[in-house]
Amino acid sequence: MNNITRSIFRAIHEGRWLSIEYKNQQTQQTKYWVAIRGLNPRTRTLNVDGLHLGKLSVQALDHISIDRIQTAEVVDGSWCPVNQTLIDDIRDNPGRYAALFDNAANLRVLDYLAACNRLDATPYQSNYSLIHQIDADCFADYKEDTLELTDDQFRELVGRFQRRVEDRHRNAARPSLPTLGLNLISIDTRQGLYVLAYRPLRLDVKKRALRAEPEPVICREFTVNGSKLSIHQFLDADDYTLLDEFTKHAETIKDRITRSNPRVRVDDLPYLVTISRDCPVDLEHEYRGILAMFEDPSGETATAPLRAFFGRDDRQAAPPQVLPAGAAEQQGQSGPAAGHQQRHALPAGLRAGPAGHRQDQHHRQYADDGVFQRAHGAFFQLQQPSH
């Protein structure tokens, strides 16, 4: 596993484009965006749709050698269809893909934690402009899930996304990642606009359009001009549960906020918003550093806990002792020791805390993929240090 194969793994599971530098058989190096359609682990090749960054044209490219990819970065904010058959095959047959994606279960846990870390930061509306000539009027007749872009708008958006990718390639941590969104409900307060709910917009490269995600993002906390506001200030406690099924109760939520706060205006027009979150720690940046440790030919850079987490610890664990019924009590192993096994189950606190509600959607996604149950349970069965 290295940063290239990890990026491929993320792109497959998240339905995103990859920005790659590829060396062809003539040793010429070309930059492409690719959307992965298929993967052959035996020949280490990909079938992709490729976007030429100069011509901005898309064509099918088959048998792309993974070993000829010089760099690969996931294009955040992009969209491509998810190959669920391929994802299921990676999950159900980890041995087939071990040469590319060793410890796949651990990777999915790390991706989940990175997503939770991003959502744990309080969002705010930024003045960062991703694209010109798109404003509220463009969404006045918004009916479908996509909004077509002009050639100039598409070129500008691709250029801005590619500059982000190049920043990542220079190993620069990003404290903030602006995201385009389509407003669903916002509250016009004295401090400024509180965006309560929005649908994230992602770039559909093949259709040259912005595509709205089906699931809305609910901001129960929001920073407005430096002040953190909470939905508790605008919605009665009895109505909090309505947010858990926002799509079903959107009109009711709007009416309840208006009724409880007659001096504020609640806006449900589908206009464009730009949402940012400042993360104190960029976990993706940290993961890149960890993988770089494992790429060190000496093999001595990675620390012992990291080697144990990724199943590369040279120490052999002693086989477990099987005691007859009641033997544990006879040896005094009661109380905390008796609960050892329970303590290594999936901790409920993983989703606890003020940001737990923002992580539910991601938890369901990763749980559906069997993150916490499959691939030998490597994440939660690490050997405990002996004393």
Side-chain angles (χ1 to χ4, degrees):
M1 174 69 67
N2 54 38
N3 278 308
I4 291 175
T5 51
R6 168 166 162 73
S7 295
I8 292 172
F9 185 89
R10 275 193 61 203
I12 291 172
H13 285 79
E14 297 179 13
R16 301 181 191 273
W17 288 68
L18 269 181
S19 177
I20 67 171
E21 292 185 14
Y22 187 78
K23 183 182 290 186
N24 59 25
Q25 294 181 348
Q26 290 75 37
T27 70
Q28 297 173 330
Q29 200 152 301
T30 310
K31 293 183 178 181
Y32 279 95
W33 281 12
V34 296
I36 299 171
R37 292 184 283 106
L39 165 63
N40 188 327
R42 184 178 61 82
T43 60
R44 297 176 64 90
T45 56
L46 300 170
N47 294 337
V48 303
D49 292 321
L51 172 72
H52 192 284
L53 294 180
K55 302 175 182 178
L56 295 183
S57 57
V58 178
Q59 65 180 99
L61 302 172
D62 294 335
H63 310 299
I64 296 294
S65 172
I66 293 175
D67 297 322
R68 290 183 176 273
I69 298 176
Q70 306 301 300
T71 64
E73 299 287 343
V74 174
V75 182
D76 288 312
S78 63
W79 180 91
C80 68
V82 171
N83 186 339
Q84 191 59 48
T85 301
L86 175 59
I87 291 176
D88 293 343
D89 195 43
I90 293 172
R91 181 195 64 201
D92 297 336
N93 302 283
R96 184 181 304 169
Y97 298 89
L100 295 172
F101 310 133
D102 53 337
N103 292 290
N106 288 351
L107 287 175
R108 292 298 283 154
V109 172
L110 293 177
D111 289 341
Y112 167 75
L113 295 176
C116 291
N117 179 61
R118 289 192 297 270
L119 290 175
D120 192 37
T122 304
Y124 62 93
Q125 187 175 13
S126 67
N127 295 324
Y128 182 89
S129 176
L130 278 174
I131 188 168
H132 297 304
Q133 299 175 348
I134 291 185
D135 52 28
D137 293 338
C138 297
F139 292 91
D141 298 324
Y142 188 86
K143 296 290 194 304
E144 304 297 330
D145 284 342
T146 58
L147 175 72
E148 293 185 4
L149 301 171
T150 66
D151 290 343
D152 289 341
Q153 291 169 344
F154 179 71
R155 180 178 296 275
E156 182 179 355
L157 200 53
V158 169
R160 289 181 180 269
F161 280 16
Q162 180 61 20
R163 284 192 288 275
R164 277 192 202 165
V165 166
E166 292 169 356
D167 287 343
R168 293 293 287 171
H169 180 56
R170 288 192 288 268
N171 215 28
R174 55 182 177 188
S176 177
L177 177 63
T179 302
L180 278 175
L182 188 67
N183 177 68
L184 294 177
I185 289 183
S186 58
I187 306 170
D188 192 1
T189 71
R190 287 180 297 177
Q191 294 97 325
L193 192 68
Y194 177 160
V195 180
L196 173 60
Y198 67 95
R199 293 175 67 186
L201 295 171
R202 292 168 62 184
L203 178 62
D204 185 337
V205 175
K206 291 189 72 173
K207 290 187 176 181
R208 297 193 171 204
L210 290 174
R211 173 185 291 269
E213 294 277 26
E215 292 294 327
V217 174
I218 311 302
C219 304
R220 304 192 186 214
E221 294 179 339
F222 202 81
T223 300
V224 181
N225 291 329
S227 300
K228 183 184 290 188
L229 302 181
S230 170
I231 190 56
H232 296 178
Q233 300 170 232
F234 305 97
L235 198 62
D236 292 338
D238 293 339
D239 297 327
Y240 293 164
T241 56
L242 296 176
L243 295 172
D244 297 334
E245 296 182 273
F246 175 85
T247 303
K248 179 179 179 181
H249 301 297
E251 285 299 321
T252 303
I253 292 170
K254 177 185 173 183
D255 293 340
R256 299 287 172 83
I257 294 175
T258 302
R259 185 182 63 187
S260 302
N261 306 269
R263 295 185 179 181
V264 303
R265 184 173 65 89
V266 181
D267 194 350
D268 60 354
L269 291 177
Y271 52 78
L272 192 70
V273 292
T274 307
I275 306 298
S276 294
R277 299 174 187 267
D278 295 336
C279 298
V281 178
D282 184 355
L283 290 184
E284 287 294 342
H285 177 71
E286 300 301 323
Y287 296 163
R288 291 166 61 88
I290 291 171
L291 288 176
M293 292 181 185
F294 284 109
E295 293 179 44
D296 182 3
S298 69
E300 299 178 354
T301 307
T303 62
L306 288 175
R307 292 197 301 270
F309 178 84
F310 285 98
R312 301 184 185 185
D313 197 345
D314 294 334
R315 296 175 300 174
Q316 295 295 323
Q321 296 182 355
V322 180
L323 300 177
E329 288 76 4
Q330 294 174 10
Q331 295 184 17
Q333 294 180 358
S334 59
H340 177 79
Q341 181 176 1
Q342 285 79 1
R343 289 199 301 272
H344 291 279
L346 176 62
L350 191 64
R351 294 169 54 210
H357 52 269
R358 293 194 293 268
Q359 300 166 5
D360 283 346
Q361 176 184 345
H362 292 273
H363 176 76
R364 288 193 299 270
Q365 171 192 346
Y366 288 84
D368 288 345
D369 289 341
V371 173
F372 306 117
Q373 292 83 23
R374 294 180 180 269
H376 315 301
F379 183 71
F380 296 109
Q381 295 182 13
L382 302 182
Q383 292 295 319
Q384 298 299 306
S386 57
H387 299 287

